[in-house]
Amino acid sequence: MLKGLGGLGDMAKMMKAAQDMQAKLAEVQEDLARTVVVGESGAGLIKARATAKGEVTGLDIDPSILVASEKEVVEDLILAAIKDAQLKAQTRSQQEMAKLTEGLGLPPGMKLPF
């Protein structure tokens, strides 16, 4: 590269790699925000939709379970469906981030900011 400037060429390569990583990270984050996962409980009577970033976006409740005397059961099923959706979102997010770090040649398990 330029003679007499020592490691500046290497520094430029590292800066370029960091910029590339930021761009890929932003792309993955956008994909996760668009990806929808569905959590279920009560054998599918309750379904919660969430983005792969964990934002709950919808809830489907089978009307057959909407009985006043079963209010607490329904509430528990709703919470279970939401937790299931959030767990699936977290798993999906971790999988996508693992692909990103692997593609960048980073060590497995290295945490990147979300």
Side-chain angles (χ1 to χ4, degrees), residues 70-85:
E70 298 295 322
K71 178 183 179 291
E72 290 179 7
V73 172
V74 172
E75 290 170 346
D76 289 343
L77 290 173
I78 290 170
L79 288 175
I82 290 171
K83 288 178 182 178
D84 187 42

Side-chain angles (χ1 to χ4, degrees), residues 24-25 27-29 31-32 35 52 89-103 112 114:
K24 288 179 182 178
L25 179 59
E27 184 179 320
V28 168
Q29 292 292 337
D31 288 344
L32 291 174
T35 301
Q90 182 182 23
T91 300
R92 181 66 176 265
S93 179
Q94 288 172 344
Q95 290 170 343
E96 294 302 317
M97 294 308 287
K99 288 179 192 175
L100 176 64
T101 59
E102 185 179 288
L112 292 176
F114 282 87

Side-chain angles (χ1 to χ4, degrees), residues 12-86:
K13 286 181 187 177
M14 287 187 344
M15 293 299 289
K16 174 70 173 133
Q19 288 173 341
D20 290 345
M21 183 175 74
Q22 279 185 317
K24 288 179 182 178
L25 179 59
E27 184 179 320
V28 168
Q29 292 292 337
E30 289 173 14
D31 288 344
L32 291 174
R34 286 190 301 265
T35 301
V36 176
V37 296
V38 178
E40 296 184 12
S41 67
L45 292 173
I46 306 258
K47 296 178 183 174
R49 288 182 309 282
T51 68
K53 290 188 80 166
E55 179 185 346
V56 177
T57 59
L59 191 61
D60 293 320
I61 302 171
D62 187 300
S64 68
I65 65 170
L66 296 176
V67 179
S69 63
E70 298 295 322
K71 178 183 179 291
E72 290 179 7
V73 172
V74 172
E75 290 170 346
D76 289 343
L77 290 173
I78 290 170
L79 288 175
I82 290 171
K83 288 178 182 178
D84 187 42
Q86 289 173 328

